Amino acid sequence: MTSMIQLQEDRRIESSGLSTAWLMEQAAWLREQRSLHGDSCRFFMTAGSLFEFARFDYALGTVAFFHAVIGLERALKIHFRKDGHLKALFKRAIDEKVFTDELFKGQFTWCDMMQDLCARHGMKRSTGYCERLAILLPEQRNLYFHGTNLMGPDYFRFTVHVRILADALNTGRQGVYSH
């Protein structure tokens, strides 16, 4: 006799102001290739799967975020046809106006994490959202991969923002860039 494991939805999703419907919608959206090169898109496909399963385990939302950040870094390398660190490539995308605050059209996430970032880095109120993300994303990635357990609803929203940035790069028609 085989028994089926019944997964229960994680209550932290709803209590964090998210919904299962939103997670499922975003999971499908994250997985779409659109104009993104396959080498980068694979990370977003995984992020989409993690979003889908985060409804059963909230902690997967943070893991999805970090897969998205890796996908963005790969897309930046393909776009610029240059190897480099995420922070430097991100800054170049801002300097060349590939990444602008217009990409987000009212979707900014002015959360506690973003406020703390501004305070720690002495940012002015006028500092752009992309400029803030250029500091936040590498910083959070480094914290996580050096052993700091990070979790919270903002990682779900930032995952969506990371995909918006990657889509702005339009890497789909470029050849594969290897290190």
Side-chain angles (χ1 to χ4, degrees), residues 32-99:
E32 291 175 11
Q33 185 156 1
R34 294 187 287 281
S35 62
L36 195 58
H37 192 282
D39 283 358
S40 176
C41 191
R42 285 181 193 89
F43 292 101
F44 288 100
M45 292 171 82
T46 301
S49 293
L50 291 165
F51 252 50
E52 188 171 332
F53 287 99
R55 72 181 201 235
F56 304 113
D57 185 353
Y58 182 80
L60 293 176
T62 303
V63 180
F65 169 74
F66 292 109
H67 272 271
V69 170
I70 294 167
L72 173 63
E73 185 170 13
R74 184 69 179 141
L76 283 162
K77 289 176 181 182
I78 293 168
H79 178 83
F80 290 120
R81 296 188 146 314
K82 180 178 174 137
D83 202 9
H85 296 286
L86 175 60
K87 195 171 187 176
L89 293 168
F90 204 122
K91 182 181 179 336
R92 180 175 173 188
I94 291 171
D95 291 346
E96 294 183 13
K97 305 217 182 308
V98 176
F99 292 165

Side-chain angles (χ1 to χ4, degrees), residues 46-168:
T46 301
S49 293
L50 291 165
F51 252 50
E52 188 171 332
F53 287 99
R55 72 181 201 235
F56 304 113
D57 185 353
Y58 182 80
L60 293 176
T62 303
V63 180
F65 169 74
F66 292 109
H67 272 271
V69 170
I70 294 167
L72 173 63
E73 185 170 13
R74 184 69 179 141
L76 283 162
K77 289 176 181 182
I78 293 168
H79 178 83
F80 290 120
R81 296 188 146 314
K82 180 178 174 137
D83 202 9
H85 296 286
L86 175 60
K87 195 171 187 176
L89 293 168
F90 204 122
K91 182 181 179 336
R92 180 175 173 188
I94 291 171
D95 291 346
E96 294 183 13
K97 305 217 182 308
V98 176
F99 292 165
T100 67
D101 290 354
E102 285 296 310
L103 292 171
F104 299 99
K105 298 178 186 148
Q107 294 187 39
F108 300 122
T109 301
W110 299 116
C111 58
D112 290 340
M113 188 186 319
M114 194 63 90
Q115 300 303 334
D116 179 56
L117 172 84
C118 295
R120 283 185 288 109
H121 291 277
M123 292 181 185
K124 297 178 182 169
R125 195 170 179 92
S126 62
T127 302
Y129 191 69
C130 286
E131 292 172 271
R132 293 170 192 231
L133 287 175
I135 295 169
L136 179 78
L137 299 181
E139 183 179 271
Q140 293 299 299
R141 183 191 62 183
N142 290 343
L143 284 171
Y144 184 75
F145 286 112
H146 289 283
T148 302
N149 187 23
L150 304 169
M151 197 177 337
D154 296 321
Y155 290 105
F156 289 93
R157 294 178 191 99
F158 285 133
T159 301
V160 172
H161 292 193
V162 170
R163 179 60 201 251
I164 290 168
L165 292 169
D167 284 345

